[in-house]
Amino acid sequence: CLENTDPRTRGRGIQLLSQVLLQCYSLLQEKEVLHLVLFYENRLQDHHFVIPSVLQGLRALSMCEVLSPGLAVSVLKAIFQEVHVQSLLQLDRHTVYSIITNFMGTREEELKGLGADFTFGFIQVMDGEKDPRNLLVAFQIVRDLIAKNYALGPFVEELFEVTSCYFPIDFTPPPNDPHGIQREDLILSLRAVLSSTPQFAEFLLPLLIEKMDSDLQSAKLDSLQTLTACCAIYGQKELQEFLPSLWSSLRREVFQTASEKVETECLTALHALSVCLSCSVLSSDTEDLLDSFLSNILQDCRHHLCEPDMKLVWPSAKLLQAAAGASIRAYDCITRSVLPLLLEQYTKHLQSSQRRTILEMLLGFLELQQKWGHVEEDESTLLSLQVPVCSVVFAALMDPSVQLQLVGIRALTVLGSLQGFLSPSDLELVVDHLIRLALHEEDSQSREAAMEAAGSLAPIYPKVFSGRMVPRLEEELQSGREEESSRDHCSLQQHCLQALAAVSTHTSIVRETVPVLLQHLQKVQKGSEARNAQDVVSVCQSLHRVALQCQQDVESCWYYHQTVVPCLLAMAVQAAMQESTHPLLGKALLEEEVLAAMVPIISAATTHLSPELAAQSASHVVPLFLDGEVSFLPQNSFPCSFQPFEAGECLEAQRRLVALLMAFVCSLPHNVAIPHQERLLQELLALSCSCNCPFTATTAAKCFAGLVNKHLEGQQLDEILQLAVNKMEPSLVEGPRRTQALTLLLWVTKALVLRYHPLSSHLTDKLLGLLGDSELGPAVADGFFLLMAESPDVLHKGCHANVRIMFRQRFFTDNVPKLVQGFHGAGPDMKANYLKALSHVLNHLPKPVLVTELPTLLSLLLEALSCSDRVVQLSTLSCLQPLLLEAPQIMSLHIDTLVTKFLSLTSSPTMVRALPPSPNTPLSSAPSTALTHLFQAVRIAALRCAHALTSLPVTVLLPYKARVIRALAKPLDDKKRLVRKEAVAARGEW
């Protein structure tokens, strides 16, 4: 074939040879490679039918490690001279780029020996390339030419022209493109070329200025981003000639653009230019362009800060701040001129809105100073303006305008972070202002901002805050407690508690605030005040905030734990022992809402302890509950023994404290051994099954489940689980303890599902069977929410629970088919239970997983919308709304049903009908307001789904448009504002 006179036949022969070489090039010897290279070079002069196969062979040879010196140069010269690359097909052009890439990777020094001829040859190869696949490779070759210092010689401009002709990239990938090349890929690749060498500057900068003036936003953005990239490698010399034009274009865009993206990129580019000029190394006879550049910026922007209408104030301030943030030199140059002017304008303008604008600009410059830390230099502009700056900020804090106050608080925080700026007297004034705002300001925004500022500044000035703020807060708290009959004093007391917690962000301050909070807690739970459980809850909320703030500091964490946890336990134990003899004393501490507020305190104080300290604490707390060992508690002279696991009506109050045990033991790290764990598990199991108090039974079940979840695999775990199953199963069948047994079953199932324990499937099957129970069915259905949702106090990752990844997906795969089967086999009265359980499972499933299963489940979801149970409806609507956005094609098939169901729920007359009473539903004892809120939530969810329908294809929606618009007119008159708001949004979209 190779010697045949027919070019097509010769081409087939060379094609076969090239295919063989592509398979075995690594096995060739040096002499064989030499012969083959010479043969293929000669074939480049053959008929054009032959050339593609010749190039494939040369590509194979370019990958040979035994290629003789000089052959790479020879091959490339032959290609440059004999092949008109741009007349070839895309694949053959790609082959040429691959040959060049291979040789640049392995024969760099040889190719550099060609000098600028290699660059010129490549320019000829690339000139006119249009295919995006080839351009990505070609751009990479240009980057390597520049990065590896190949000689460009006199061809710098030609190399720039052959690449810049593609700028800005205008490419839209075809639909279903198998190559996956995106416009962004080409943009970034070309930008890397254009910004790779200062030698392109004289050609590139005029091009960028021209494209910045384009009407196309994409061209503007690309130009600005490329300019920013170039500034990283340019110096004064490259920029000097073009600085006036660049500044003019940037200024115009910021002043005139309606696009936030363009404005942001302009400011980024201006910042990059200022950084470039700030960092340029100057010779003795070179002009410093930074000063002149900043002078032009000041000249064009400064006067806008003084205009009465303040139209261009913000654009000017942003430009000035972008330039000032480049370096300390740029910052000083600009602030020297701008800060006195802003301070003067603040005094001139009397309206709060104008003052807020000026203070926000001043704040922007203050925040820039944070980049350079201390303010100590004698020549510092900011330091020279210390008195007027502080005066303006303090005045803003006294202004009646809340918005101005908020900006003033932010400015105060920034000034405080500049160490060396505030004098001792200023710091005292800062603390006084923060106390006033935190305690006495009526607006909650200002109060919260002041507390946050105190928390930010306290670690910087711990002595000032612990010596001045904490005593003042303690004094106010005491006065508020003494006169708490007044509503104002009650709110003052609340604010004091919140402020004490907010400022506790440093170890030394925590040691001051925690005793104050604990002392206050001891006072409010005694005497007649004990009737007000809300006071105790407020203190607990503050203690919880302090606990969270202590978690990141080992010293604070341990101090807090060993101070607060024993004190809370002691107060609770004392209250439980007094319950039988003095019913009013300490009663508040035994309220469910108070114990529930104490749980997160103990949990947060425990989760971040080191294993050694956690074990030390466990050795005290567990014996307290098991053996009544109270010696480690403060004030431990109790009137009787503490026996929460003993039987007897008089010990009911003590049993409630198992909630605090749960908070502690369920928050311990995995590697902490719990003393007497098996005995503790047995006691908890017995209590959860026998206790008449729902609160105590539930907390015992949760504590048992939390311990089982972390228990090591083995015989001990198997035995305790078998014991639990043996206790639960008979109680679930009949008897007075069915509800307690169900609660325990739900929590144990959750504990085992999270850790993929084999027994979890047996327990889940038990729950599925109970969905058909006339008494327990509704409660079991609600229990599926518990199985799938994140639990706030136990069995979550924050308390070191054993949570395996994708446990929800696994639960879905194992159990949803059984739920569907159970639904179809259930009687009419029980179907709602299966639908509710299913909706809870689906609602907590990651949406991508749900979309894949949607075709099989959608009919059931639509049936759930017809269920009379509002909880089922709400859960199903919440599930359907994101699916309308993520799976429009599938949902479009059911458009008629969806429209009908959604519209019927937006203003259904049955919305005013109460739910049938059921002892097992979460709303059983809820007042009518809770039902009203539920009906409102269903209407809102239905309207959101009607809104989400508009994401389906327009052709699907048009037949329903008039009907939907008519139907959505009715909820526009709904009594509830939130419903009307959703109706307006949905109807407007339709």
Side-chain angles (χ1 to χ4, degrees):
C1 289
L2 297 179
E3 296 178 342
N4 196 291
T5 55
D6 179 25
R8 295 180 189 276
T9 305
R10 287 201 306 279
R12 284 199 296 275
I14 295 173
Q15 183 182 21
L16 175 59
L17 178 60
S18 297
Q19 287 173 346
V20 171
L21 290 176
L22 283 167
Q23 296 295 324
C24 67
Y25 63 86
S26 61
L27 307 176
L28 297 174
Q29 298 176 11
E30 188 173 346
K31 285 185 179 179
E32 293 169 338
V33 174
L34 174 61
H35 279 292
L36 287 165
V37 167
L38 293 175
F39 167 74
Y40 273 106
E41 282 183 6
N42 182 264
R43 290 302 88 203
L44 284 172
Q45 300 171 17
D46 204 335
H47 195 277
H48 65 85
F49 282 142
V50 176
I51 299 301
S53 298
V54 175
L55 292 172
Q56 288 294 345
L58 287 172
R59 183 166 73 89
L61 295 170
S62 72
M63 295 186 279
C64 290
E65 294 181 6
V66 293
L67 198 70
S68 302
L71 286 183
V73 170
S74 174
V75 169
L76 289 180
K77 277 185 175 180
I79 292 174
F80 293 160
Q81 289 170 9
E82 305 296 342
V83 184
H84 184 247
V85 175
Q86 288 306 314
S87 66
L88 301 174
L89 295 174
Q90 179 271 327
L91 181 61
D92 303 324
R93 301 198 304 275
H94 194 279
T95 303
V96 174
Y97 295 127
S98 299
I99 293 169
I100 296 171
T101 301
N102 291 340
F103 283 146
M104 289 179 73
T106 58
R107 298 286 188 268
E108 183 179 326
E109 292 307 317
E110 290 181 36
L111 300 192
K112 285 182 176 177
L114 276 172
D117 289 344
F118 175 60
T119 303
F120 180 67
F122 173 73
I123 291 170
Q124 287 180 306
V125 167
M126 182 184 172
D127 193 10
E129 181 60 66
K130 290 184 175 62
D131 191 277
R133 292 165 287 179
N134 292 347
L135 283 173
L136 285 177
V137 183
F139 290 156
Q140 182 61 52
I141 292 173
V142 179
R143 289 212 299 278
D144 290 342
L145 280 173
I146 294 166
K148 295 179 178 178
N149 296 313
Y150 283 79
L152 305 184
F155 304 116
V156 173
E157 186 172 1
E158 285 77 2
L159 186 61
F160 172 77
E161 291 295 339
V162 83
T163 50
S164 65
C165 63
Y166 302 101
F167 183 86
I169 293 288
D170 182 20
F171 168 68
T172 304
N176 305 318
D177 179 20
H179 307 290
I181 295 175
Q182 299 297 315
R183 179 171 175 269
E184 193 66 18
D185 300 328
L186 290 165
I187 288 174
L188 295 175
S189 189
L190 177 57
R191 185 177 300 151
V193 170
L194 298 178
S195 62
S196 61
T197 173
Q199 295 181 74
F200 285 166
E202 60 180 304
F203 316 113
L204 177 60
L205 290 173
L207 175 65
L208 295 180
I209 292 168
E210 176 193 333
K211 299 302 180 185
M212 274 188 234
D213 299 341
S214 163
D215 293 332
L216 286 173
Q217 179 172 310
S218 60
K220 289 180 190 288
L221 292 171
D222 204 352
S223 303
L224 291 163
Q225 289 164 354
T226 304
L227 174 60
T228 301
C230 289
C231 288
I233 62 161
Y234 286 2
Q236 275 208 165
K237 184 179 72 168
E238 288 77 25
L239 293 172
Q240 182 168 9
E241 180 186 345
F242 305 100
L243 277 175
S245 301
L246 287 169
W247 162 239
S248 175
S249 296
L250 293 172
R251 180 193 62 211
R252 184 186 63 253
E253 288 301 327
V254 172
F255 280 169
Q256 297 178 4
T257 188
S259 166
E260 203 172 311
K261 286 183 181 177
V262 173
E263 180 187 270
T264 301
E265 293 300 338
C266 283
L267 297 173
T268 304
L270 179 59
H271 177 80
L273 282 170
S274 300
V275 170
C276 179
L277 296 176
S278 299
C279 299
S280 295
V281 178
L282 307 177
S283 56
S284 56
D285 58 343
T286 309
E287 178 195 357
D288 182 3
L289 292 180
L290 179 65
D291 284 340
S292 57
F293 183 60
L294 295 177
S295 296
N296 285 338
I297 295 174
L298 283 165
Q299 183 180 341
D300 290 342
C301 295
R302 191 177 182 275
H303 63 278
H304 289 305
L305 304 180
C306 309
E307 290 174 354
D309 57 6
M310 301 183 84
K311 272 185 183 175
L312 293 175
V313 161
W314 265 120
S316 301
K318 288 176 181 177
L319 287 165
L320 289 165
Q321 287 168 6
S327 64
I328 190 72
R329 199 154 58 99
Y331 181 80
D332 284 340
C333 176
I334 287 178
T335 53
R336 198 180 310 124
S337 172
V338 171
L339 289 190
L341 181 64
L342 289 176
L343 294 168
E344 179 188 329
Q345 291 300 306
Y346 187 92
T347 309
K348 278 186 179 179
H349 290 89
L350 300 178
Q351 290 183 15
S352 294
S353 59
Q354 293 173 324
R355 286 189 159 188
R356 188 189 78 191
T357 301
I358 295 165
L359 187 56
E360 282 180 327
M361 289 188 287
L362 181 63
L363 174 61
F365 286 104
L366 295 176
E367 287 172 337
L368 290 175
Q369 177 68 58
Q370 285 181 304
K371 288 168 108 177
W372 296 287
H374 286 37
V375 187
E376 295 174 351
E377 299 83 357
D378 293 338
E379 65 273 13
S380 165
T381 306
L382 191 55
L383 206 57
S384 66
L385 296 170
Q386 180 190 14
V387 173
V389 167
C390 287
S391 174
V392 161
V393 172
F394 292 151
L397 299 177
M398 300 292 291
D399 196 274
S401 164
V402 171
Q403 296 305 315
L404 183 54
Q405 279 182 15
L406 292 173
V407 181
I409 292 168
R410 284 165 54 205
L412 190 69
T413 307
V414 174
L415 289 180
S417 69
L418 302 174
Q419 289 201 18
F421 184 81
L422 294 175
S423 66
S425 59
D426 286 333
L427 278 172
E428 290 183 359
L429 201 51
V430 165
V431 171
D432 293 344
H433 276 297
L434 291 177
I435 292 172
R436 177 184 58 78
L437 289 167
L439 300 188
H440 304 292
E441 177 56 46
E442 291 182 6
D443 186 82
S444 61
Q445 280 182 289
S446 292
R447 282 201 310 274
E448 289 165 12
M451 291 180 197
E452 192 175 332
S456 300
L457 295 176
I460 305 173
Y461 309 102
K463 289 184 179 177
V464 178
F465 278 84
S466 63
R468 189 172 182 87
M469 188 167 192
V470 176
R472 286 273 302 280
L473 291 173
E474 184 180 5
E475 184 182 323
E476 294 278 6
L477 184 63
Q478 179 66 21
S479 65
R481 199 186 69 79
E482 288 171 356
E483 304 178 43
E484 69 168 0
S485 56
S486 155
R487 179 185 293 273
D488 290 342
H489 280 92
C490 284
S491 61
L492 174 63
Q493 191 170 305
Q494 287 272 84
H495 301 161
C496 285
L497 292 170
Q498 292 166 357
L500 281 166
V503 79
S504 303
T505 51
H506 186 271
T507 305
S508 63
I509 301 174
V510 170
R511 290 177 180 274
E512 300 283 337
T513 55
V514 165
V516 173
L517 290 170
L518 290 175
Q519 185 181 9
H520 184 69
L521 179 61
Q522 288 169 334
K523 288 177 180 175
V524 297
Q525 59 100 17
K526 287 180 181 175
S528 59
E529 298 164 22
R531 295 174 186 162
N532 188 0
Q534 188 53 48
D535 285 350
V536 183
V537 171
S538 298
V539 187
C540 289
Q541 288 168 343
S542 292
L543 282 168
H544 181 228
R545 180 171 178 176
V546 179
L548 295 175
Q549 290 165 183
C550 288
Q551 286 179 339
Q552 304 310 316
D553 181 76
V554 176
E555 183 185 348
S556 298
C557 189
W558 178 234
Y559 166 76
Y560 183 92
H561 182 89
Q562 65 178 354
T563 305
V564 174
V565 172
C567 185
L568 290 182
L569 290 172
M571 283 192 280
V573 169
Q574 182 79 35
M577 290 179 177
Q578 290 176 341
E579 172 71 2
S580 56
T581 53
H582 301 85
L584 292 179
L585 288 178
K587 177 77 172 174
L589 284 179
L590 303 176
E591 296 282 346
E592 284 185 23
E593 61 176 319
V594 173
L595 288 171
M598 292 168 77
V599 165
I601 301 174
I602 296 174
S603 181
T606 306
T607 52
H608 284 63
L609 289 180
S610 67
E612 297 77 21
L613 296 176
Q616 182 182 330
S617 190
S619 67
H620 296 304
V621 176
V622 176
L624 167 67
F625 283 84
L626 286 178
D627 305 313
E629 180 54 62
V630 297
S631 58
F632 80 103
L633 297 178
Q635 303 168 354
N636 54 19
S637 55
F638 300 115
C640 59
S641 59
F642 182 58
Q643 300 170 313
F645 291 117
E646 294 295 321
E649 285 296 324
C650 61
L651 297 176
E652 180 55 48
Q654 295 187 17
R655 284 196 282 272
R656 295 168 76 81
L657 303 193
V658 170
L660 307 184
L661 172 67
M662 174 197 74
F664 176 77
V665 294
C666 292
S667 301
L668 292 171
H670 274 286
N671 50 356
V672 174
I674 297 173
H676 317 296
Q677 184 171 10
E678 307 313 312
R679 180 183 159 203
L680 178 60
L681 283 166
Q682 291 176 12
E683 296 283 13
L684 289 166
L685 180 59
L687 183 61
S688 65
C689 293
S690 62
C691 185
N692 292 321
C693 171
F695 176 79
T696 304
T698 301
T699 50
K702 289 162 75 172
C703 189
F704 180 82
L707 292 175
V708 162
N709 173 262
K710 296 182 194 177
H711 201 295
L712 294 175
E713 296 279 358
Q715 185 181 352
Q716 286 183 326
L717 177 60
D718 295 340
E719 288 174 357
I720 195 69
L721 287 174
Q722 190 57 52
L723 185 63
V725 171
N726 293 341
K727 272 187 175 290
M728 285 187 290
E729 289 188 339
S731 300
L732 286 168
V733 176
E734 58 182 359
R737 311 276 187 204
R738 295 190 78 196
T739 304
Q740 288 95 321
L742 175 61
T743 302
L744 179 62
L745 175 61
L746 285 167
W747 281 104
V748 173
T749 304
K750 182 179 179 72
L752 299 183
V753 164
L754 292 178
R755 64 178 287 175
Y756 290 0
H757 192 278
L759 185 62
S760 63
S761 57
H762 169 72
L763 298 183
T764 308
D765 289 343
K766 193 75 184 167
L767 288 170
L768 291 169
L770 287 169
L771 283 170
D773 186 285
S774 58
E775 182 187 350
L776 294 180
V780 175
D782 289 325
F784 276 78
F785 176 86
L786 184 153
L787 294 179
M788 302 302 290
E790 184 89 357
S791 174
D793 43 11
V794 294
L795 295 177
H796 60 86
K797 286 186 177 178
C799 64
H800 312 289
N802 183 356
V803 181
R804 302 287 292 275
I805 59 170
M806 298 198 295
F807 77 89
R808 291 185 178 90
Q809 288 91 315
R810 180 168 175 168
F811 188 88
F812 170 87
T813 305
D814 291 346
N815 297 295
V816 165
K818 298 175 187 175
L819 275 171
V820 174
Q821 184 182 353
F823 169 80
H824 290 304
D829 295 342
M830 296 300 144
K831 284 185 181 293
N833 295 339
Y834 288 91
L835 287 174
K836 185 185 287 189
L838 179 66
S839 64
H840 286 318
V841 175
L842 298 183
N843 241 333
H844 290 89
L845 201 65
K847 291 303 175 277
V849 179
L850 187 52
V851 168
T852 60
E853 302 291 336
L854 189 56
T856 57
L857 295 172
L858 190 53
S859 59
L860 263 183
L861 288 172
L862 294 175
E863 192 163 342
L865 291 178
S866 303
C867 177
S868 60
D869 191 323
R870 300 296 172 223
V871 177
V872 175
Q873 290 177 346
L874 181 59
S875 185
T876 308
L877 290 167
S878 303
C879 187
L880 286 171
Q881 185 193 348
L883 294 176
L884 288 164
L885 305 174
E886 295 177 31
Q889 299 306 321
I890 300 172
M891 303 300 273
S892 296
L893 302 174
H894 302 268
I895 180 68
D896 192 69
T897 309
L898 289 168
V899 168
T900 304
K901 300 280 189 188
F902 293 159
L903 294 183
S904 70
L905 292 173
T906 56
S907 55
S908 169
T910 58
M911 285 299 168
V912 296
R913 194 175 66 210
L915 280 175
S918 166
N920 299 306
T921 57
L923 296 166
S924 58
S925 59
S928 58
T929 53
L931 298 177
T932 305
H933 287 316
L934 180 60
F935 297 144
Q936 177 184 328
V938 171
R939 295 204 296 283
I940 288 173
L943 286 165
R944 286 176 178 166
C945 285
H947 190 166
L949 280 174
T950 59
S951 63
L952 302 185
V954 177
T955 50
V956 175
L957 300 176
L958 281 176
Y960 301 92
K961 179 179 174 182
R963 174 187 166 191
V964 172
I965 290 174
R966 272 198 312 275
L968 291 182
K970 190 172 181 182
L972 291 176
D973 293 327
D974 197 280
K975 292 181 179 180
K976 298 295 183 180
R977 181 183 63 81
L978 293 175
V979 177
R980 296 196 300 273
K981 180 182 174 185
E982 293 295 341
V984 168
R987 193 167 186 266
E989 199 64 37
W990 272 91

